[in-house]
Each structure stands twice: as C-alpha cells, then as structure tokens.
Amino acid sequence: MAKGESEVANDSTALVIIDVQEAMFSYPDMKLHDEEGVMDRIVSLLHKARSAGTPVVYIQHTEDQEYTKGTPTWQISSRITPREEDLIVEKPTWDAFHRTPLHEELQERGISNLVICGMQSEFCLDTTTRRAFSMGYSSILVEDAHSTFNNANFSGGEIVKHHNSVLGGRFAKLRKAHDVEF
C-alpha cells in the first residue's frame, strides 16, 4: 500500500509478482527496458513485503518452449527466489486469473488488495491488472517495477509509459516502488 493510504489494509494485501522468470533474461539480442533498475525495485518490494509479513504471490507462465515446466528458463528469477510460504500460481494464458486457482487462493486468504509488478507490461501485467479490477480487487500498479522489450513500433520505455497512463487511475492506482509500504 502507499504511505498514508488507509483504504488498503495490511492484512488484506498481497504483493503479486508476474512472470519474473529466467526466460525474460535469456535472450541474447534483447534486454528488458531498464532491466536492472526494474529488478532492483522488485527485489526492494519483495523485501518490504516480507518484512511486513505481507503475502507474496508469484505468477509463473507455463506453456510453449521457453516456459515449459521444469526447464531453466521457466524458473522464477534467482534474484527473487520464492520461499516455502509464498504462493506460486502457474498460468497458461496472459491472464493470471483465467484457468488458474488465483482468485480462490486470494479469497481463501482474505486478500482484496493487490500490489502488482512484473513482466511484460503489454501482455500479462496489463491483462491481469484489468482482470483484477473487473473482479473487484483494489490494486496498486507499481509504475517503475514492470517492464517489457522493444518491439517493431515502440521502445520498451514507451510501452511501459503507455500502460501506466492507460491502467493508472482507471484499473489501478499508480505508485513508485519507493512509495509503496506494506
């Protein structure tokens, strides 16, 4: 939750880390926008959540060649290795709620507020943020803790900026990582 915001209670909040898997860092000719900075901020969010006793939910894409279960590229990044108490939800689509137990797991834990970060801005992060809104979750999108790759039309930075402007204020509140407190 952001400092001073009472609408997000500690006991009903979870940090959701989307698709921060080794595949994202394994392309020899492509790098994520602000890759090191984004990863440093995700590590910081993870540390703050754990220090506060906030549940951590990892979303792990599981399909096709780079995300085949059990392969090295499918693994969650070694910089943010899950702990035994963390929830890991495997997903076969861009939507972390579609065909997964995510909603049921969050409901079981009394989670109604999400702090969202991860990869890729225009795919899984966008789709999951919109779906969380549609399902009644109150979300904070950490505007400087998600990223993507350049594509044929836009740089990764432009894509991140665009998604922050579209999702922020409509589907989620925007907060910088240093302003998020749990």
Side-chain angles (χ1 to χ4, degrees):
M1 97 175 124
K3 286 183 188 173
E5 292 211 7
S6 60
E7 76 270 10
V8 181
N10 287 343
D11 60 350
S12 65
T13 300
L15 173 63
V16 178
I17 303 173
I18 300 172
D19 296 354
V20 181
Q21 293 167 254
E22 293 297 343
M24 292 290 161
F25 311 99
S26 67
Y27 301 108
D29 56 341
M30 295 187 331
K31 274 196 132 1
L32 292 160
H33 164 71
D34 188 22
E35 183 174 296
E36 286 304 312
V38 168
M39 281 305 296
D40 288 346
R41 289 184 284 279
I42 291 173
V43 168
S44 173
L45 288 164
L46 181 58
H47 175 73
K48 287 195 273 186
R50 286 187 170 149
S51 294
T54 299
V56 177
V57 179
Y58 289 86
I59 306 301
Q60 189 172 27
H61 197 78
T62 304
E63 70 162 341
D64 62 43
Q65 293 177 340
E66 295 158 319
Y67 298 97
T68 300
K69 188 172 184 166
T71 62
T73 54
W74 172 80
Q75 301 297 326
I76 293 170
S77 169
S78 61
R79 287 195 62 192
I80 58 166
T81 302
R83 293 184 179 168
E84 189 174 318
E85 67 271 15
D86 297 331
L87 174 62
I88 300 172
V89 175
E90 293 180 29
K91 67 173 179 58
T93 70
W94 293 347
D95 179 349
F97 291 97
H98 184 64
R99 296 178 18 213
T100 75
L102 179 60
H103 178 65
E104 291 78 13
E105 293 282 355
L106 294 173
Q107 294 300 293
E108 220 173 80
R109 290 164 171 77
I111 304 296
S112 57
N113 305 296
L114 308 178
V115 176
I116 301 171
C117 62
M119 312 299 173
Q120 285 181 256
S121 303
E122 73 276 36
F123 297 118
C124 301
L125 186 120
D126 174 278
T127 305
T128 299
T129 301
R130 290 172 187 256
R131 182 74 182 277
F133 173 82
S134 296
M135 295 181 76
Y137 291 92
S138 174
S139 299
I140 291 174
L141 174 60
V142 187
E143 64 184 282
D144 56 353
H146 65 95
S147 189
T148 194
F149 302 99
N150 297 342
N151 67 31
N153 299 306
F154 303 102
S155 71
E158 290 170 324
I159 295 167
V160 168
K161 184 177 178 181
H162 169 77
H163 280 78
N164 282 338
S165 73
V166 170
L167 296 171
R170 293 172 183 86
F171 300 97
K173 294 179 179 84
L174 291 179
R175 296 290 181 270
K176 292 196 178 290
H178 64 76
D179 291 330
V180 175
E181 297 294 334
F182 294 95

